[in-house]
Amino acid sequence: MLSPAIHKLIKPAIFVVALVPLAWIIYRTVNNDLGANPIETLNRYTGDWVLRFLMITLAVTPLRKLTGWNGLLRYRRMLGLFAFFYVCLHFLSYAWLDQNFVLTDIIKDVIKRPYITVGFASFLMLIPLAVTSTNAMVRRLGAKRWQTLHRLVYAIGIGGVVHFLWLVKSDIREPLVYAIILTLLLGYRFWTRVHSSQNTVASGTVP
Amino acid sequence: MLINKTADILASEITPKEIYHQRRRFLQQAAAIAAAGATAGLLPYSSEAGQKITNVKKSPLSTADRLTSYKDITSYNNFYEFGTDKSDPARYAKNFRASPWTVSVEGEIKKPAKYQIEDLLKHFPLEERIYRLRCVEAWSMVVPWVGFALRDLIRRVEPNSRAKYVEFITLHDSEQMPGQKPGLFGAGLDWPYVEGLRLDEAMHPLTILAVGLYGELMPNQNGAPIRLVVPWKYGFKSIKSIVKIRFVEKQPLTTWFRSNPREYGFYSNVNPTVDHPRWSQASERRIGEDTLFSPKRKTLMFNGYADQVASLYTGMDLKKYF
Ligand code: HEM
């Protein structure tokens, strides 16, 4: 669809754009513009971007199928890695700034507070996905096993939304928006799978 | 009351200098308006947030903790009637009409009455009370309130023997308070906002009705024109923009309790040993003081007011009645 030269440009462009949220919050931090509760601001800001990058990553496959633009697939890994990058910052803002690396407090929080339990589980699940994101790892695992492993991202997406739903006090509108987006993204996959398997059965082909 | 056109002594003492000078303007004086009552109400009462209040006495009940800045106190607010983001109240309460304002005092009392806000300012001696404010979300501030002891009002209206609790109700007006609009799920709370105290808690000398802060009439986003302040309880107990005070026999069904009784008890005393399911209450962050890397400070029992209020709860299981 696009010439290779343009593809070569898109990738670094996405890379730079994906760093804009980081640049913006660094700018605000050095300018003392994080509001009355800077730690809360940093923590929520990074959490928002984790969820956004997860949703964007999960949108690649549906978009590719709907538009027929297979080239999109080349950017999926980078987008997923940015979700991982921002969750590392998010976790760091929590463990360092909020909890001052007091391990016993962090462990207590993870065990005791369901929204942190779920967030932490999602974070842990993202680690093997990031580690196995290289071409060499895909080859070592084999495409099939790699793909099975990377289906974890569905659970991570759900975990991220549940984490948000459980942490708000009473106003669930914003997490609900993410829940709807996630339902569409996962629903699309489910729907296409059901349909393609029906087609398979109908046409009588044996896998 | 004194009408004071130059810098108010008290306010200048408690306000950080830069902020004080920056906000020094020609203002109509609240006291002048109160005095208008004395001159047979010839002058219209037009209170506006930010007007200086004069003749405010200092109080020995004030804390010596460092004040939170005016900017933080007025830009970081939980006031869901104007939206659930901390910055919403400052943005959406700008045109809130805090005047004219009537507070209806009713229920199990001998002298029910409807008070105009200026009457309240006139009847009761105003004091500056510098209190710690501890939010259930594990942050805290130090606020120089201006107000009067709730018990002064209670004594005036003479509760009868059936009055066991005091119920407070916020204005219900979704035109002015966009957060009360019944949109999709709204803020998740039932309006109007209701709070309550046991009568002895309401009679405690620390409990005040505040009409201002930093020596000025109450900013809209902080609960203009009149709000409750109960410094040993989590902030949400200190209900804002009160229109009704009712003396009742049964424990009032308060807003957050109704929304989630497992998380928000009727008492909601600051207690570092009873955790909220979402936040540890053992420690807190003092707004405007800590750096990015400083540890949280320990939360004190009853927010540091244990000496004064612990006796209200002797024999009570505070884990059960949280
Ligand atoms: C995939 C993993 C995660 C995602 C998608 C995620 C996402 C989010 C989002 C969207 C928010 C709310 C931001 C807002 O209010 O605007 C948030 C808040 C938060 N997250 Fe996460 N998060 C994740 C993992 C974690 C982990 C591992 C921890 C800590 C162990 C954590 C702790 C928190 C805390 C403490 C808050 C703030 C709660 C509050 O302010 O009351 N999160 N997160």
Side-chain angles (χ1 to χ4, degrees):
Chain A
M1 216 152 131
L2 296 172
S3 73
I6 291 187
H7 266 307
K8 278 221 176 78
L9 276 177
I10 290 182
K11 217 162 179 174
I14 293 179
F15 186 83
V16 170
V17 170
L19 283 173
V20 168
L22 176 67
W24 174 234
I25 201 66
I26 291 175
Y27 174 82
R28 283 174 59 187
T29 306
V30 294
N31 281 291
N32 241 326
D33 185 28
L34 295 176
N37 196 344
I39 293 171
E40 182 189 72
T41 304
L42 288 174
N43 182 246
R44 295 200 169 172
Y45 182 90
T46 50
D48 283 341
W49 281 104
V50 182
L51 207 47
R52 284 174 197 153
F53 274 102
L54 276 178
M55 297 296 130
I56 293 169
T57 311
L58 281 167
V60 169
T61 295
L63 270 182
R64 179 175 69 89
K65 289 193 176 152
L66 289 170
T67 62
W69 180 15
N70 286 325
L72 273 177
L73 209 53
R74 308 170 193 219
Y75 314 118
R76 191 174 63 181
R77 167 166 56 198
M78 190 166 66
L79 291 166
L81 283 172
F82 268 109
F84 182 66
F85 173 66
Y86 280 102
V87 81
C88 290
L89 293 181
H90 182 56
F91 180 69
L92 206 62
S93 77
Y94 162 81
W96 186 5
L97 306 182
D98 196 45
Q99 302 291 329
N100 285 87
F101 288 132
V102 180
L103 214 59
T104 47
D105 285 356
I106 295 174
I107 293 167
K108 254 194 255 166
D109 252 7
V110 169
I111 294 170
K112 216 173 149 177
R113 312 194 191 287
Y115 85 90
I116 293 190
T117 314
V118 174
F120 192 69
S122 302
F123 174 48
L124 289 185
M125 286 190 281
L126 267 170
I127 294 171
L129 303 202
V131 169
T132 59
S133 67
T134 60
N135 288 338
M137 273 310 227
V138 181
R139 256 178 274 124
R140 248 177 77 181
L141 283 172
K144 200 150 193 176
R145 267 162 61 200
W146 184 89
Q147 208 175 21
T148 311
L149 175 66
H150 279 249
R151 291 225 168 94
L152 268 184
V153 73
Y154 306 148
I156 294 164
I158 293 169
V161 170
V162 170
H163 169 68
F164 198 179
L165 265 172
W166 282 353
L167 73 86
V168 295
K169 265 161 67 183
S170 71
D171 184 359
I172 59 169
R173 283 173 290 187
E174 205 183 328
L176 216 54
V177 170
Y178 283 103
I180 291 166
I181 294 170
L182 184 70
T183 307
L184 291 175
L185 294 175
L186 297 187
Y188 174 82
R189 290 169 165 85
F190 182 72
W191 186 76
T192 49
R193 203 155 298 163
V194 168
H195 272 255
S196 64
S197 64
Q198 269 175 1
N199 291 346
T200 318
V201 171
S203 59
T205 34
V206 179
Chain B
M1 255 185 219
L2 244 163
I3 298 168
N4 193 349
K5 286 223 168 65
T6 51
D8 180 292
I9 296 156
L10 244 176
S12 65
E13 272 176 4
I14 58 164
T15 311
K17 271 245 148 44
E18 328 81 79
I19 296 166
Y20 179 74
H21 283 296
Q22 179 194 319
R23 289 185 290 123
R24 211 173 124 183
R25 290 163 275 157
F26 267 102
L27 296 165
Q28 257 198 319
Q29 312 265 321
I33 290 138
T39 57
L42 286 175
L43 289 170
Y45 178 74
S46 61
S47 95
E48 249 169 54
Q51 284 178 359
K52 201 146 290 298
I53 308 172
T54 51
N55 213 14
V56 180
K57 278 203 274 303
K58 290 208 173 204
S59 165
L61 296 170
S62 287
T63 169
D65 286 13
R66 206 175 94 193
L67 296 184
T68 304
S69 74
Y70 181 86
K71 179 164 182 275
D72 284 346
I73 291 173
T74 55
S75 63
Y76 189 75
N77 306 101
N78 273 326
F79 196 174
Y80 280 17
E81 280 82 345
F82 292 105
T84 52
D85 199 274
K86 299 274 195 307
S87 59
D88 284 342
R91 193 174 312 149
Y92 299 115
K94 278 209 179 72
N95 298 320
F96 183 69
R97 291 186 301 275
S99 158
W101 192 275
T102 311
V103 181
S104 174
V105 185
E106 53 193 62
E108 305 291 352
I109 49 176
K110 296 199 183 79
K111 295 181 178 164
K114 287 191 189 332
Y115 289 94
Q116 300 305 310
I117 186 70
E118 60 268 35
D119 294 337
L120 290 172
L121 284 163
K122 195 174 63 182
H123 282 320
F124 303 105
L126 295 179
E127 280 184 25
E128 181 195 59
R129 298 281 184 100
I130 303 172
Y131 284 162
R132 287 177 292 274
L133 173 94
R134 171 62 158 75
C135 179
V136 73
E137 296 166 351
W139 52 265
S140 61
M141 292 183 176
V142 181
V143 186
W145 302 109
V146 176
F148 56 90
L150 175 59
R151 65 176 183 180
D152 291 349
L153 173 68
I154 295 177
R155 284 183 178 143
R156 198 182 172 92
V157 299
E158 297 178 29
N160 63 36
S161 61
R162 283 181 302 277
K164 300 282 192 307
Y165 293 90
V166 188
E167 180 182 63
F168 305 84
I169 299 172
T170 296
L171 179 71
H172 192 186
D173 178 0
S174 61
E175 284 303 307
Q176 289 206 74
M177 295 175 145
Q180 293 176 335
K181 289 215 170 86
L184 180 73
F185 299 101
L189 295 178
D190 287 329
W191 309 112
Y193 197 87
V194 175
E195 258 309 334
L197 296 173
R198 233 168 45 191
L199 188 61
D200 59 342
E201 296 176 321
M203 287 292 288
H204 194 280
L206 280 172
T207 306
I208 60 166
L209 286 172
V211 294
L213 55 83
Y214 263 114
E216 299 177 350
L217 283 185
M218 192 68 78
N220 292 342
Q221 61 268 40
N222 294 85
I226 186 163
R227 63 170 290 171
L228 184 68
V229 178
V230 195
W232 71 91
K233 292 175 180 281
Y234 294 118
F236 69 88
K237 292 294 292 180
S238 293
I239 182 171
K240 307 184 180 83
S241 303
I242 298 168
V243 291
K244 197 177 281 182
I245 299 175
R246 191 154 59 194
F247 292 76
V248 293
E249 203 168 357
K250 296 216 169 65
Q251 181 175 305
L253 191 54
T254 55
T255 297
W256 279 103
F257 176 80
R258 186 155 45 159
S259 112
N260 196 338
R262 211 172 57 87
E263 297 189 11
Y264 306 97
F266 172 78
Y267 285 94
S268 286
N269 293 316
V270 175
N271 187 340
T273 66
V274 177
D275 273 357
H276 184 277
R278 283 173 236 204
W279 303 283
S280 161
Q281 298 296 21
S283 57
E284 68 200 47
R285 205 164 289 289
R286 182 64 55 84
I287 297 297
E289 283 196 23
D290 303 336
T291 73
L292 277 181
F293 304 104
S294 47
K296 295 183 195 175
R297 65 181 64 206
K298 290 254 170 295
T299 290
L300 304 172
M301 188 64 200
F302 295 114
N303 201 20
Y305 297 97
D307 286 350
Q308 293 104 307
V309 302
S311 59
L312 291 170
Y313 309 102
T314 34
M316 254 175 86
D317 179 358
L318 294 177
K319 286 204 159 59
K320 188 167 169 224
Y321 298 99
F322 58 92

